[in-house]
Amino acid sequence: ETGVTQTPRHLVMGMTNKKSLKCEQHLGHNAMYWYKQSAKKPLELMFVYSLEERVENNSVPSRFSPECPNSSHLFLHLHTLQPEDSALYLCASSQGLAGGLNEQFFGPGTRLTVL
Amino acid sequence: AQSVTQLDSHVSVSEGTPVLLRCNYSSSYSPSLFWYVQHPNKGLQLLLKYTSAATLVKGINGFEAEFKKSETSFHLTKPSAHMSDAAEYFCVVSGYSSASKIIFGSGTRLSIRP
């Protein structure tokens, strides 16, 4: 595997379910991110981890819970979601925090549908 | 404060003709600017980035962009469109070493007519 991988690629869940999204980066980077991409809206940054510590949480509801057990893996735990949470969830990584010169490398995303 | 505006939500060109995707930015500091491309069902891929070394930046797949400070613009161009260029394109501005200061544009969908 190369680059940034995400599993599953598609997920359908009910509002009472609990599920997790997984992201793995094979680039040796030390920062990882979760973004939400909804139709007709700009990308929304959700969480940022640097050296396995959460450094940013952009007012994301508590029904989204991130976890970063090591610098290569990032999870997004989901529970009691709402239909408006249906979106493409993108994971990204970078060497050093993004901003300035550091570019981000993105995974293919998980298409989430909440019924 | 920083912001980025992609002036067209959808651009359609014929194969073999030039492509112009427009981006205007606002930044209190000297910005870094990026163009990313997203093909259907794929993640975003970096096309090119401006980091003040040169105002004309060349990227992958024949794309280039010119930083014009006087016009606060960073338009993306390609001399000759190919069918494989059909995708969503995002202009991004950042000016700090903080991910929360990265601002994505709303995207421009590029369609290529045969």
Side-chain angles (χ1 to χ4, degrees), chain B residues 16-34:
Chain B
T17 64
V19 174
L20 170 64
L21 305 184
R22 298 182 294 166
C23 173
N24 284 102
Y25 71 91
S26 172
S27 178
S28 304
Y29 298 83
S30 181
S32 294
L33 293 157
F34 305 77

Side-chain angles (χ1 to χ4, degrees), chain A residues 9 33 35 37 41-43 45 48 56 58 88 90 97-108, chain B residues 32 34 36 38 41-46 49 51 90 94-102 104-106:
Chain A
R9 294 293 308 276
Y33 313 80
Y35 284 90
Q37 186 177 31
K41 294 176 68 175
L43 243 64
L45 179 65
V48 181
E56 292 191 37
N58 281 338
L88 182 68
L90 291 166
L97 281 174
L101 305 181
N102 297 330
E103 66 185 82
Q104 294 172 299
F105 292 76
F106 286 82
Chain B
S32 294
F34 305 77
Y36 283 85
Q38 184 179 29
N41 301 313
K42 297 287 181 68
L44 279 70
Q45 179 186 17
L46 182 69
K49 64 180 178 181
T51 56
F90 295 92
S94 74
Y96 302 88
S97 292
S98 166
S100 64
K101 302 303 181 185
I102 299 173
F104 282 78
S106 53

